[in-house]
Amino acid sequence: MSKDIATPLRTKEILKKYGFSFKKSLGQNFLIDPNILRNITEHAGLTKDTAAIEIGPGIGALTEHLARTSGKVLAFEIDQRLVPILQDTLSPYNNVTIVNEDILKADVEEKIKEELSDYQDIMVVANLPYYVTTPIILKLLMEKLPIKGICVMLQKEVGERISAKPGTKEYGSLSIAIQYYTEAEMVMTVPKTVFMPQPNVDSAVIRLLKRDKPIVEVIDEDFFFTVTRGSFAQRRKTIMNNLTSQLPNGKERKETIVKALEETGIDATRRGETLSIEEFARLSDALYPEFNR
Ligand code: SAM
């Protein structure tokens, strides 16, 4: 087995060899601790029968652990400067494909068809660029890709919001959007010292396992997300006030909102953070006919 990329010494050597300078705007904080990488791949539950999709391989610190523990790795890297470096650092592995594309613009489904059609189980495993954590996770879930789950490093605060339960201050429309599709669990917190350069925020690893079907059934997913987002627009406001100000023509449709809240047994003075996902589903279904005529 070749020497780990993710040690401070080897990372510095690679950066020096290529004269690489970090781009803060691309969220480039590389991992320099092999133990953390082993932990991430263990939590992801990889085997040689599974494939891994990585977002942002950097200089290959996590990629090589994925190459060792899974059957195949498909990695999307936006920074063209890293492509020749990865070709060099990952040369001991023949099961890695690097795609030089922005993950938010890439046709991931097509790439999975091209590269990973032999694999039933696909996990997304990454140390995410923090400036786009949420759009990346939402894209992967909303495009309904054939993946089993997502196990990623992100800002601890975002991990807490994603896995939050009703009644907590972290619970919001992001918790609902993600728990609608997955079972979410924070599996470890990570100190700043394992990154080069060190980020300003604390980090954590979150594991999202896709449900066979969404946790609740709703008439219309988009409308359900409109209602949940609207309900948290101003956290201190009641559900009634948020919905009247956020839903299309909400003020004129106040009576409809009052009626839907009554029908679903939700007190109009409650705040969004006290409603369970099931309550949001019932509420959104009760509002749907009037708002979609
Ligand atoms: N995986 C490496 C590691 O753990 O050391 C690097 C992780 S670093 C936090 C994030 C990586 O994502 C960087 O390599 C960055 O260039 C890349 N990146 C940033 N935005 C991206 C995007 N939209 N699509 C694909 N890669 C992106």
Side-chain angles (χ1 to χ4, degrees):
M1 201 184 281
S2 56
K3 208 163 49 150
D4 263 315
I5 295 167
T7 63
L9 194 66
R10 176 103 197 275
T11 299
K12 275 189 204 140
E13 263 171 33
I14 296 167
L15 299 177
K16 193 166 165 226
K17 178 171 170 191
Y18 288 93
F20 184 83
S21 53
F22 293 103
K23 266 199 194 148
K24 213 173 168 195
S25 61
L26 290 180
Q28 293 179 336
N29 301 94
F30 295 171
L31 280 164
I32 50 165
D33 183 337
N35 289 322
I36 296 285
L37 292 163
R38 268 190 288 277
N39 266 325
I40 299 176
T41 50
E42 267 165 33
H43 283 299
L46 300 173
T47 68
K48 282 286 168 191
D49 293 329
T50 57
I53 296 181
E54 187 185 5
I55 294 135
I59 58 170
L62 175 60
T63 326
E64 73 172 351
H65 283 258
L66 299 176
R68 289 176 194 154
T69 52
S70 72
K72 185 152 187 201
V73 187
L74 171 63
F76 294 85
E77 174 55 64
I78 197 172
D79 189 345
Q80 204 261 327
R81 299 173 306 155
L82 289 164
V83 176
I85 306 183
L86 287 161
Q87 271 156 6
D88 177 10
T89 58
L90 298 174
S91 60
Y93 307 95
N94 61 6
N95 59 345
V96 180
T97 303
I98 305 289
V99 179
N100 181 205
E101 279 181 46
D102 178 343
I103 186 69
L104 293 177
K105 296 190 184 140
D107 186 343
V108 183
E109 191 176 4
E110 190 55 35
K111 285 279 175 241
I112 292 177
K113 276 194 198 134
E114 281 170 28
E115 298 288 336
L116 306 178
S117 56
D118 293 342
Y119 292 87
Q120 290 266 308
D121 283 346
I122 304 173
M123 278 297 284
V124 174
V125 191
N127 170 18
L128 290 177
Y130 290 0
Y131 75 106
V132 276
T133 310
T134 313
I136 292 176
I137 297 179
L138 288 175
K139 169 181 167 131
L140 297 172
L141 295 175
M142 292 191 160
E143 288 188 355
K144 302 195 169 29
L145 301 170
I147 55 172
K148 194 174 148 204
I150 300 177
C151 183
V152 285
M153 176 91 73
L154 36 56
Q155 306 91 306
K156 184 163 162 251
E157 172 261 325
V158 177
E160 282 165 351
R161 284 202 280 132
I162 287 177
S163 56
K165 298 280 169 268
T168 62
K169 69 176 190 330
E170 290 80 17
Y171 179 70
S173 54
L174 182 64
S175 330
I176 296 171
I178 292 186
Q179 293 174 34
Y180 176 75
Y181 296 110
T182 71
E183 249 177 273
E185 190 188 353
M186 285 247 279
V187 291
M188 63 177 179
T189 53
V190 179
K192 293 181 180 133
T193 48
V194 301
F195 299 92
M196 184 190 290
Q198 293 187 15
N200 296 325
V201 294
D202 289 324
S203 301
V205 175
I206 194 157
R207 182 175 53 207
L208 309 172
L209 291 178
K210 280 243 303 266
R211 303 177 189 279
D212 293 338
K213 54 183 179 48
I215 191 167
V216 287
E217 212 174 304
V218 291
I219 300 172
D220 184 285
E221 273 182 14
D222 287 342
F223 186 66
F224 168 68
F225 291 129
T226 304
V227 170
T228 54
R229 264 196 313 273
S231 304
F232 289 95
Q234 284 186 272
R235 293 189 71 98
R236 300 182 71 79
K237 278 195 180 177
T238 63
I239 181 106
M240 180 70 211
N241 286 342
N242 267 327
L243 290 177
T244 33
S245 65
Q246 297 300 316
L247 290 181
N249 301 324
K251 288 200 178 67
E252 291 91 84
R253 288 157 151 171
K254 203 169 167 180
E255 278 316 304
T256 307
I257 300 172
V258 173
K259 207 165 134 247
L261 286 164
E262 270 171 15
E263 255 174 52
T264 50
I266 298 167
D267 188 327
T269 62
R270 283 170 66 184
R271 291 193 183 142
E273 67 203 43
T274 70
L275 267 70
S276 66
I277 302 187
E278 289 74 15
E279 287 179 307
F280 274 117
R282 290 208 311 269
L283 179 59
S284 131
D285 281 0
L287 291 165
Y288 183 81
E290 194 62 35
F291 277 86
N292 291 277
R293 283 201 298 177

